[in-house]
Amino acid sequence: MTYWARPPELREQAVLFPQRLDEALPRGHVVRLLDEVLGRLDWGRFEACYHGRIGQPPIHPRVLAGVLLYGLWTRLRSSRALEEALQVRLDFRWLAEGQTIDHSTLSEFRRRHSTELKELFVQVCLVARELGLVSLDLLGFDGTRVRANNRRRATRTAEELRRERAELQAHFEEFQRQAEAEDARDEERFGLRNPKELPAELRNAQQRLQKLDAALQRLKDAGRDADATSPRIPLTDPESRVMPNKEGGYAPNYTPTAMVDLGSGLIVGADVLGEVNEDGHLIPACEEVQAQLGLPAPPPVAADGLMATGANIAGCEERGITLYSPVPVPDPASNPALRVDPSQPVAEKDWERLPTQQVKTHGQSQQQLDKTAFVYDAARDCYWCPLGHALPYVATTSEASGRRRRVRARYQAAGQSCQACPLRARCLRGQAKGRRIYREQYDAHRERHAQHMAKPESQTQYARRRHAGERPFAVIKQQFGLRQFLHRLQDEWRWAALAFNLQRILSLLRSRAGPNI
């Protein structure tokens, strides 16, 4: 008699009444809830993509989508890992109803149904809204950084691409001469020649030449072809850009974005950008959510301070979008420059409280009076300095700034006023004889937005984005393990957003807590 417990039966033992697959999975397992939710969705768009008459009967798209979504929940993202899980894990076998699905079927399904996936994502958002889980009273917009499927060192500048192409072109021509000479000898000896088939060396060189030409064309389209110091462009994943990593350093990355309903924490809009800053996508994201969910007006949106650009503030005003985003403007109560009559000087006892900024002049840092220490007078179209001297309008300049044009009006004080000013050392830089102030085309919008954000109710609304707005990125990157794209990035991010939404919906339904939790 042995001490250790014996198995109820050997693995090789034949059984008369085999256990059902449904009995092998606990009744309260989360995969049962996922299957129930997926079973209530409309899969007509997916089903319409299949012929329906010819070929072997296909696996229903609900099953394939369920495997992909549940794979994200369990940090299994690659199609080969999912194929193995369908063979050895009871939860995956139960979800697929015992069907064996190879990795190529899963990969092809993920590749083919981009449009249908987007419609399924919107359908889940609409279902959550009908269940009363989505309030849409306030949205939160933010972005993160996800690695591209490109090695950090597999990048080139325009000059490196041109040099590499010239070297490869020389090798290609040499290979071509050798191949032609070999073909001539073979034809003379045997009368055999196949001009349509290139040797392996020529095929490989030709493919690399095409790849380098495409990379150079992308640089040219971006306006960086003539600049030898232009940013590096990735070769394997050319749509990505070399950006700072969240963990430090630089590498080819993407910027995925999410528009979140802050009441429920559900993602109602998702996109992936091949650029560093996502601020230019704020207004298009709001309009896309409005169109997809059929809203009569765009909901209010909260975003971090990087989104409070002049273009975004002005665009939100034009479209009736209430934006909650902090701007770097001093509190009016703590700024002595904001006085009733700006033509009168600020009291000398308050000079030390005037807002300043740190600037560098000839490599040396100094504190200079900030622009907010000067008061704009719209009636006279001039600025007033802290000592009550006017800075009249001089000229307007326009210059390119990234993808936009920067229009600035210049206001300048008279030289004699600044020469005798007791604040001269803190106001002028270097050998400047008079202080200049520039007013950009969006400064009036920023001032109105600063007044709007100074209200207590605006601060309360903005504080709501702190947790709900950041939670989707934390779950997708940490729990789902999506820190680097493996497939088509747009679809992969939308699959992750859909998986997050389904997980969040199940959590809300089980807690019965409603949208505000």
Side-chain angles (χ1 to χ4, degrees), residues 137-207:
D137 63 333
L138 181 63
L139 304 181
F141 180 78
D142 205 352
T144 187
R145 198 86 74 236
V146 174
R147 292 279 186 93
N149 191 12
N150 195 112
R151 289 188 302 111
R152 183 174 63 88
R153 298 186 181 278
T155 60
R156 301 289 187 275
T157 64
E159 183 61 30
E160 290 172 346
L161 286 172
R162 285 191 288 266
R163 186 167 59 249
E164 188 172 341
R165 189 195 184 284
E167 295 174 356
L168 188 58
Q169 181 68 38
H171 288 306
F172 179 81
E173 293 173 355
E174 179 63 25
F175 286 145
Q176 194 172 27
R177 284 194 296 269
Q178 294 176 5
E180 289 175 354
E182 188 70 25
D183 287 343
R185 287 194 296 269
D186 290 346
E187 186 177 8
E188 183 180 353
R189 292 180 182 180
F190 310 108
L192 299 174
R193 189 179 181 187
N194 186 3
K196 295 184 179 179
E197 183 176 354
L198 291 175
E201 295 86 353
L202 282 177
R203 286 199 303 271
N204 293 337
Q206 192 175 45
Q207 291 173 359

Side-chain angles (χ1 to χ4, degrees), residues 376-437:
Y376 178 68
D377 189 341
R380 300 186 183 183
D381 191 22
C382 71
Y383 275 90
W384 295 96
C385 82
L387 291 190
H389 298 296
L391 284 75
Y393 168 79
V394 176
T396 298
T397 60
S398 177
E399 57 190 24
S401 178
R403 294 170 298 179
R404 305 183 181 94
R405 293 208 66 81
R406 190 179 186 185
V407 180
R408 300 192 301 171
R410 186 171 80 244
Y411 300 81
Q412 185 166 349
Q416 59 271 22
S417 300
C418 294
Q419 293 303 316
C421 179
L423 295 176
R424 170 186 171 83
R426 297 175 55 193
C427 189
L428 299 183
R429 298 175 60 180
Q431 302 299 320
K433 296 182 179 180
R435 179 64 187 264
R436 292 180 179 180
I437 296 293

Side-chain angles (χ1 to χ4, degrees), residues 89-157:
R89 289 187 53 161
L90 284 174
D91 48 356
F92 277 91
R93 290 181 59 194
W94 183 94
L95 183 60
E97 300 178 270
Q99 300 178 89
T100 56
I101 308 174
D102 60 79
H103 65 274
S104 59
T105 302
L106 292 168
S107 179
E108 184 69 11
F109 177 81
R110 185 158 34 193
R111 185 188 66 82
R112 287 179 53 198
H113 298 287
S114 179
T115 303
E116 293 75 25
L117 170 63
K118 186 175 182 179
E119 294 171 350
L120 181 64
F121 175 81
V122 175
Q123 183 186 164
V124 170
C125 293
L126 293 173
V127 169
R129 188 182 179 191
E130 291 178 1
L131 292 173
L133 301 176
V134 175
S135 60
L136 296 176
D137 63 333
L138 181 63
L139 304 181
F141 180 78
D142 205 352
T144 187
R145 198 86 74 236
V146 174
R147 292 279 186 93
N149 191 12
N150 195 112
R151 289 188 302 111
R152 183 174 63 88
R153 298 186 181 278
T155 60
R156 301 289 187 275
T157 64

Side-chain angles (χ1 to χ4, degrees), residues 118 139 141 257 259 268-271 273 275 278-292 298 301 307 311-312 315-316 319 321 403-404:
K118 186 175 182 179
L139 304 181
F141 180 78
T257 64
M259 186 71 79
V268 293
D271 202 355
L273 310 177
E275 54 189 272
E278 64 272 17
D279 58 272
H281 195 68
L282 172 65
I283 294 176
C286 293
E287 294 176 337
E288 184 179 16
V289 170
Q290 179 186 1
Q292 289 179 348
V301 59
M307 305 298 162
N312 280 341
C316 288
R319 294 164 178 80
I321 302 173
R403 294 170 298 179
R404 305 183 181 94

Side-chain angles (χ1 to χ4, degrees), residues 6-21:
R6 297 177 59 85
E9 57 191 31
L10 298 177
R11 296 191 183 97
E12 299 81 7
Q13 176 67 45
V15 293
L16 180 61
F17 301 105
Q19 185 182 32
R20 293 188 303 168
L21 182 60

